């Protein structure tokens, strides 16, 4: 071995009083003392094999390829150097090394001492009994060898201990480095992270970023509570208490930031329990969410206001009526007044002067109405030239309603201005009030609507609802059953196929709703869809159609028919905030891809609120749903928006198609629409193809697809299979 470490230290020798004559004496009897070392080594290992722990260690040593004989030889050499070589260079280094190896092999100090006791016994037996030792030397020799044994063991334990200390030192350095990394990470995180000992209300850790939120000390136990806006504190405290009771919580609140601004923060509290379930500490994170909250508020405003006039939109107006009704129900003798306003002559302005003028006029109307009414009243634009008013809480119904109606009429006495034009407009007002004309929102709105129609028809300034105006009285009993019809499975979908004109293959099917009414038999959509729209039940209908259509499409796919299903969407479904989410949910429920459905929207629907429609359509298109404009050509003829919207198909209104083979005008319109579509990169579909002649003309005109009685009538879902048998269908690949 080549350990040239330090020699035995002076201190060691002087403290143990080891001197030269002593070493000399030991060296003199070296032969006598080590003569039988091999026997000793054997005894030594036999002894170690008696103890389970040491015997296991030795066994493992052998299993790992260690040689017991080599160990025995080392033992002999050790005994030899202990007696004779005790001051040789490298002796101490060797002892330190042996100590290190023992530490690394997890041999405990007690076993080391046990081994030394064996040396001690062996040597003293020789000193006492050997005839080769002079009697007068025995006591001194025994003393010398005791000291040498102590020193040998001391140095070995020193090596043992130094190694342990070095390992601990290394660990400590590693931990320090790790801690530095973590704290610099936490310092750079925008979030504040903490851990609070809730038994003693002491912080265990709080990341330094907390200074950015609250410049002075934390008020414990809840971090930053002192800086939280007063009104929001109860919510934060409630969340903390819930965490103390063992549940994780999240709470949003406003905090006064050091720069004097108020910012929104989200705190998350995670309780940690001990084995008995007691909450010991709460870890948490606090992060700024001002941007998110602002975006959410902006969305809220968008969802509740009319983009053109900034008035409340239909949905907010309904919400406010609902709130007003809830509010007055607990008070006696209060009235809620609902008014519907419809402009007279507005369509004429739009048609003759164009949409920009129409829009400008609507803005002015909104402005005048807003200023004519009180702050607490709601003025809304429901769409087109339809406005509405809500007086949420009045002591009586008739007089305030009349007064407001006259104020509204006054808004139309002066002409509206646009460039050099002076435009005179009129307004028809229908009024219904709670509790006299209805107890809930839908009834009140429906009755105000009926009154408004009467005012319009009879050229009255305003009209209160009265019994004789009950809209389409015989219809109402089954109207109110739409919801029930949905839950009773009285609705069903029929499907009408479309074909591609270039090769005659199937291009998809359109879902058309039917109501199998228990009393009135099979009802067509035109008789109940407008009612469902008015009653705000159309979203329920749309959701049902979406789900149902996709479930059928799934069954067809399972039978090998992969064909897109087109679904008709009403205006108010486009206004529904959840619409996109519902589409996605229906797709997921049917395991379908976005290109398994198409959305059909009528031109008029689209124009009712072009901004909102555009938003929804863009989102639909982004997720991969194709969009068709239905009944194209029958509505407004402004085409400018077509370019801006993600439209895939134009469905040419059937009024032009039905007789195109007999009417040149119709044929010209159809050809124009097809060309227009192609110029914009939009495919055209002709609906209402009733005769082969029309089909031939469409093919010649380059129309992309066709639908109509000539190809197939709408059929129940089961009939679609048969149809696909006749037509070369698009077969699913998988
Ligand atoms: P649409 O979307 O334009 O649907 C085409 C209508 O034309 C269907 O009437 C269909 O039966 C009819 N039709 C098809 N081929 C021909 C033909 O060759 N000649 C003639 N004369 N008519 C043909 P339906 O089923 O009565 O639907 C009427 C309208 O009701 C639909 O017009 C659509 O706007 C609406 N609708 C149908 N289902 C739904 C629905 O689930 N939701 C909504 N919101 N509206 C729906
Ligand atoms: Mg349609
Ligand atoms: Mg149509």
């Amino acid at each position: 071995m080549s350990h040239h470490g330090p020699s035995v230290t002076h201190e060691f020798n002087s403290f143990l009083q080891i001197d030269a004559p002593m070493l000399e004496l030991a060296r003199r009897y070296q032969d006598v003392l080590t003569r039988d070392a091999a026997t000793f080594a054997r005894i030594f290992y036999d002894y170690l094999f008696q103890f389970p722990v040491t015997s296991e260690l030795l066994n493992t040593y052998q299993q790992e390829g260690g040689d017991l004989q080599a160990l025995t030889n080392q033992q002999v050499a050790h005994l030899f150097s202990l007696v004779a070589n005790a001051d040789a260079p490298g002796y101490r280094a060797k002892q330190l090394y042996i100590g290190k190896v023992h530490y690394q092999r997890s041999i405990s100090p007690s076993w080391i001492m046990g081994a030394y006791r064996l040396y001690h016994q062996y040597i003293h037996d020789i000193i006492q009994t050997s005839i080769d030792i002079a009697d007068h030397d025995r006591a001194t020799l025994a003393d010398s060898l005791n000291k040498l044994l102590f020193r040998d063991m001391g140095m070995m334990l020193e090596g043992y201990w130094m190694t342990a200390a070095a390992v601990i030192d290394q660990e400590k350095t590693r931990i320090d480095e790790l801690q530095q990394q973590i704290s610099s990470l936490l310092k750079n995180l925008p979030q504040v992270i903490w851990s609070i000992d809730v038994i003693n209300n002491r912080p265990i850790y709080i990341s330094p970023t907390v200074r950015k939120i609250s410049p002075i000390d934390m008020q414990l136990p809840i971090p930053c509570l002192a800086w939280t806006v007063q009104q929001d504190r109860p919510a934060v405290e409630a969340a903390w208490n819930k965490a103390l009771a063992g549940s994780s919580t999240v709470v949003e609140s406003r905090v006064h930031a050091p720069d004097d601004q108020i910012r929104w923060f989200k705190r998350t509290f995670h309780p940690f329990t001990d084995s008995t379930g007691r909450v010991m500490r709460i870890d948490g994170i606090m992060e700024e969410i001002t941007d998110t909250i602002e975006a959410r508020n902006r969305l809220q405003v968008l969802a509740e206001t009319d983009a053109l006039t900034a008035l409340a939109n239909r949905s907010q107006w309904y919400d406010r009526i609902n709130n007003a009704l809830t509010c007055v129900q607990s008070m006696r003798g209060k009235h809620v007044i609902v008014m519907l306003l419809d402009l007279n002559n507005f369509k004429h302005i739009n048609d003759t002067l164009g949409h920009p003028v129409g829009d400008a006029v609507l803005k002015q109307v909104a402005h005048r109405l807003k200023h004519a009414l009180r702050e607490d009243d709601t003025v809304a634009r429901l769409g087109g030239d339809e406005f509405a008013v809500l007086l949420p809480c009045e002591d009586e119904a008739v007089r305030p309603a009349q007064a407001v109606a006259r104020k509204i009429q006054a808004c139309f006495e002066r002409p509206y201005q646009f460039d050099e034009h002076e435009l005179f407009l009129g307004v028809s007002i229908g009024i219904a009030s709670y509790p006299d004309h209805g107890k809930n929102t839908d009834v009140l709105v429906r009755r105000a609507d009926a009154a408004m129609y009467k005012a319009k028809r009879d050229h009255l300034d305003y009209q209160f609802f009265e019994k004789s105006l009950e809209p389409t009285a015989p219809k109402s009993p089954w109207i109110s059953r739409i919801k029930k019809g949905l839950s009773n499975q009285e609705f069903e979908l029929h499907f009408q196929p479309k074909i591609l004109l270039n090769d005659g293959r199937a291009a998809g099917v359109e879902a058309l709703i039917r109501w199998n009414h228990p009393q009135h038999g099979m009802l067509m959509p035109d008789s109940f869809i407008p009612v469902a729209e008015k009653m705000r039940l159309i979203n329920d209908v749309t959701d049902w159609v979406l789900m149902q259509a996709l479930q059928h499409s799934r069954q067809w796919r399972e039978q090998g028919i992969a064909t897109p299903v087109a679904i008709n969407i009403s205006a108010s479904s486009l206004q529904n905030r959840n619409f996109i989410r519902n589409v996605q949910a229906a797709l997921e429920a049917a395991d379908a891809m976005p290109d398994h459905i198409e959305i059909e929207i009528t031109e008029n629907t689209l124009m009712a609120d072009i901004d909102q429609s555009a938003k929804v359509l863009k989102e639909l298109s982004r997720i991969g749903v194709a969009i068709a404009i239905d009944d194209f050509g029958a509505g407004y003829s402004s085409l400018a928006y077509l370019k801006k919207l993600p439209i895939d198909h134009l469905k040419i209104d059937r009024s032009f198609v039905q007789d195109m083979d007999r009417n040149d005008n119709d044929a010209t319109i159809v050809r124009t629409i097809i060309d227009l579509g192609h110029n914009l990169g939009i495919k055209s579909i002709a609906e209402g193809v009733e005769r082969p002649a029309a089909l031939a003309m469409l093919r010649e005109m380059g129309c992309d697809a066709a639908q109509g009685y000539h190809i197939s009538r709408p059929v129940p879902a089961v009939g679609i299979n048969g149809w696909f048998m006749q037509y070369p269908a698009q077969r699913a690949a998988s």
Side-chain angles (χ1 to χ4, degrees):
M1 263 177 243
S2 58
H3 288 283
H4 299 293
S7 62
V8 179
T9 57
H10 179 65
E11 289 93 310
F12 243 122
N13 284 351
S14 63
F15 208 76
L16 283 169
Q17 292 186 314
I18 297 172
D19 53 17
M22 234 172 219
L23 291 171
E24 174 50 33
L25 185 68
R27 212 167 287 133
R28 187 140 42 88
Y29 286 107
Q30 157 190 335
D31 276 351
V32 182
L33 292 171
T34 58
R35 192 184 294 151
D36 222 10
T39 319
F40 166 71
R42 216 178 39 248
I43 297 168
F44 183 85
Y45 283 104
D46 286 350
Y47 183 75
L48 289 189
F49 274 111
Q50 286 174 29
F51 296 93
V53 214
T54 37
S55 111
E56 197 187 314
L57 261 169
L58 287 170
N59 283 329
T60 334
Y61 175 74
Q62 284 175 294
Q63 277 158 21
E64 286 168 358
D67 181 358
L68 200 55
Q69 187 55 50
L71 266 191
T72 314
N73 294 343
Q74 269 175 31
Q75 211 55 244
V76 173
H78 185 221
L79 185 61
F80 184 80
S81 68
L82 171 69
V83 176
N85 264 352
D87 266 359
Y91 173 63
R92 176 162 186 259
K94 193 172 140 203
Q95 282 305 98
L96 295 178
Y97 175 75
I98 296 172
K100 176 178 173 179
V101 172
H102 280 64
Y103 174 83
Q104 287 167 341
R105 297 207 142 252
S106 312
I107 299 170
S108 84
S110 60
W111 305 337
I112 296 174
M113 288 182 198
Y116 275 93
R117 193 199 60 84
L118 287 180
Y119 289 133
H120 180 265
Q121 188 174 1
Y122 169 74
I123 287 170
H124 279 269
D125 281 354
I126 296 176
I127 294 175
Q128 273 165 26
T129 58
S130 173
I131 49 165
D132 295 326
I133 298 172
D135 280 345
H136 60 88
D137 281 338
R138 285 191 208 274
T140 326
L141 189 60
D143 184 38
S144 314
L145 278 154
N146 274 351
K147 290 177 176 178
L148 290 177
L149 271 171
F150 272 118
R151 192 182 67 173
D152 198 75
M153 183 172 76
M155 287 189 291
M156 181 161 165
L157 288 174
E158 192 185 359
Y160 191 97
W161 175 80
M162 278 164 61
T163 314
V167 169
I168 291 169
D169 235 42
Q170 262 176 22
E171 270 308 286
K172 205 174 149 313
T173 318
R174 210 177 60 82
I175 289 169
D176 284 350
E177 278 171 14
L178 197 70
Q179 196 157 35
Q180 262 180 12
Q181 284 167 0
I182 292 174
S183 57
S184 89
L185 181 81
L186 290 175
K187 203 159 62 215
N188 295 327
L189 272 185
Q191 293 91 343
V192 178
I193 293 165
W194 68 80
S195 181
I196 307 284
D197 164 359
V198 292
I199 304 294
N200 304 302
N201 274 347
R202 264 203 319 250
I204 299 167
Y205 176 80
I206 295 171
S207 61
T209 18
V210 71
R211 288 281 163 267
K212 292 191 189 147
I213 303 172
S214 59
I216 60 152
D217 281 325
M218 310 269 288
Q219 184 191 26
L220 289 175
I222 309 177
C224 296
L225 187 65
W227 292 86
T228 304
V229 171
Q230 193 73 41
Q231 303 96 289
D232 293 357
R233 286 187 206 175
V236 177
E237 281 163 335
W240 179 263
N241 288 334
K242 230 178 121 193
L244 278 181
S247 335
S248 289
T249 49
V250 177
V251 60
E252 296 176 354
S253 62
R254 289 161 295 173
V255 170
H256 293 283
D259 58 6
D260 264 354
Q261 295 206 339
I262 289 186
R263 308 230 190 97
W264 278 94
F265 279 86
K266 179 168 92 178
R267 290 176 175 88
T268 309
F269 301 134
H270 284 298
F272 271 82
T273 50
D274 66 5
S275 56
T276 68
R278 189 160 73 133
V279 175
M280 305 298 290
R281 43 172 246 261
I282 292 178
D283 292 352
I285 185 164
M286 181 163 173
E287 56 194 317
E288 183 165 356
I289 49 164
T290 312
D291 290 350
T292 320
I293 295 268
E294 279 171 1
R296 212 156 71 190
N297 290 344
R298 274 197 301 274
L299 275 181
Q300 179 84 3
V301 169
L302 282 178
E304 288 181 344
T305 54
D306 170 49
L308 178 67
T309 61
L311 293 178
N313 66 10
R314 180 183 295 269
S315 117
Q316 197 187 3
W317 185 63
Y318 270 87
D319 284 350
R320 294 220 178 141
I321 301 174
N322 284 333
N323 291 343
L325 291 176
T326 320
C327 177
V328 297
Q329 263 148 22
S330 56
M331 301 191 250
R332 295 180 97 246
K334 291 288 181 185
H335 299 256
V336 175
I337 299 164
V338 168
M339 299 184 174
L340 277 176
L341 282 52
D342 197 84
L343 303 189
N344 306 331
N345 308 329
F346 181 74
K347 193 177 171 343
H348 179 70
I349 292 177
N350 240 352
D351 289 350
T352 53
L353 301 175
H355 278 289
V357 181
D359 285 354
V361 168
L362 289 173
K363 278 191 200 171
Q364 288 180 38
V365 170
H367 184 80
R368 287 191 196 176
L369 288 175
K370 185 92 199 156
H371 283 84
L373 297 184
R374 289 171 306 194
E375 195 65 27
D376 290 347
D377 302 335
T378 299
V379 182
R381 176 169 170 252
L382 309 187
D385 59 353
E386 212 184 340
F387 289 82
V389 167
L390 165 70
L391 314 180
C393 187
E394 301 292 333
D395 291 326
E396 51 180 316
V398 178
R399 266 189 299 169
Q402 282 173 333
V404 169
R406 276 196 289 271
K407 279 203 244 174
I408 293 172
Q409 284 297 346
C411 295
F412 294 86
E413 279 163 10
R414 284 182 296 123
Y416 284 85
Q417 222 69 41
F418 191 84
D419 289 344
E420 72 282 13
H421 305 284
E422 287 212 327
L423 306 168
F424 282 92
L425 277 176
V427 64
S428 309
I429 305 172
I431 306 168
S433 65
Y434 166 93
D436 304 337
H437 303 140
K439 299 268 196 294
N440 68 50
T441 306
D442 288 330
V443 174
L444 284 173
V445 172
R446 190 151 42 82
R447 294 189 161 170
D449 198 36
M452 191 271 288
Y453 272 106
K454 166 104 173 1
K456 195 164 201 107
R457 197 181 56 216
D458 297 354
H459 305 289
L460 307 168
D461 281 353
Y462 59 85
Q463 171 73 47
F464 280 88
F465 173 77
E466 43 195 53
K467 265 234 133 49
S468 65
L469 296 176
E470 188 64 290
T472 47
K475 268 189 193 164
S476 53
W478 56 264
I479 284 170
S480 58
R481 287 196 69 259
I482 291 181
K483 245 196 153 95
K484 211 164 161 208
L486 278 172
S487 55
N488 285 357
Q489 320 280 340
E490 289 166 14
F491 291 88
E492 61 176 272
L493 289 183
H494 284 193
F495 295 89
Q496 189 178 31
K498 293 173 278 186
I499 57 166
L500 294 172
L501 285 180
N502 56 359
D503 59 6
R505 282 188 308 137
V509 296
E510 177 176 7
L512 296 161
I513 194 168
R514 307 297 179 241
W515 186 357
N516 201 349
H517 195 281
Q519 281 98 49
H520 296 78
M522 192 65 93
L523 299 175
M524 297 310 259
D526 287 336
S527 65
F528 61 85
I529 289 288
V531 183
E533 283 170 351
K534 269 229 155 65
M535 294 187 63
R536 307 220 302 159
L537 287 170
I538 190 66
N539 288 342
D540 296 334
V541 175
T542 303
D543 288 347
W544 181 88
V545 173
L546 265 171
M547 279 289 175
Q548 203 65 20
L550 277 163
Q551 290 305 332
H552 282 299
S553 128
R554 166 196 234 153
Q555 284 166 11
W556 296 327
R557 258 180 290 137
E558 283 164 4
Q559 295 160 9
I561 303 166
T563 197
V565 180
I567 287 152
N568 293 286
I569 299 298
S570 297
S572 43
S573 292
L574 280 191
Q575 309 289 324
N576 178 7
R577 271 175 247 175
N578 296 327
F579 178 62
I580 303 265
R581 224 180 306 144
N582 294 346
V583 169
Q584 281 169 323
L587 284 172
E588 243 164 65
D591 227 357
M593 303 303 291
D595 60 4
H596 288 135
I597 53 167
E598 289 172 8
I599 297 296
E600 290 192 8
I601 304 142
T602 65
E603 212 185 344
N604 291 337
T605 302
L606 198 62
M607 295 309 294
D609 184 347
I610 184 74
D611 292 333
Q612 171 68 11
S613 308
K615 230 169 24 198
V616 177
L617 295 191
K618 280 178 185 151
E619 182 56 19
L620 280 171
S621 176
R622 196 186 63 77
I623 63 175
V625 174
I627 291 149
I629 303 297
D630 207 349
D631 302 346
F632 188 77
Y636 298 85
S637 39
S638 158
L639 302 174
Y641 64 89
L642 276 185
K643 262 190 269 189
K644 295 189 191 127
L645 294 176
I647 294 162
D648 303 279
H649 310 287
L650 286 182
K651 293 191 79 174
I652 307 166
D653 193 61
R654 61 174 180 274
S655 62
F656 306 115
V657 179
Q658 270 165 329
D659 291 323
M660 65 181 285
D661 52 333
R662 294 172 185 171
N663 180 323
D664 288 348
N665 268 344
D666 287 352
T668 308
I669 291 172
V670 171
R671 187 189 292 277
T672 310
I673 295 176
I674 294 169
D675 292 346
L676 167 87
H678 286 172
N679 283 333
L680 294 170
I682 302 174
K683 299 222 154 103
S684 46
I685 303 173
E687 58 177 33
V689 179
E690 295 184 352
R691 285 183 294 274
L695 194 64
M697 283 176 78
L698 287 163
R699 195 173 279 130
E700 179 267 318
M701 288 173 177
C703 187
D704 297 278
Q707 181 180 15
Y709 292 167
H710 172 62
I711 295 149
S712 166
R713 288 191 170 258
V715 293
V718 286
I720 278 292
N721 278 343
W723 187 83
F724 270 92
M725 300 289 241
Q726 290 172 18
Y727 277 78
Q730 293 164 305
R731 295 256 154 202
S734 55

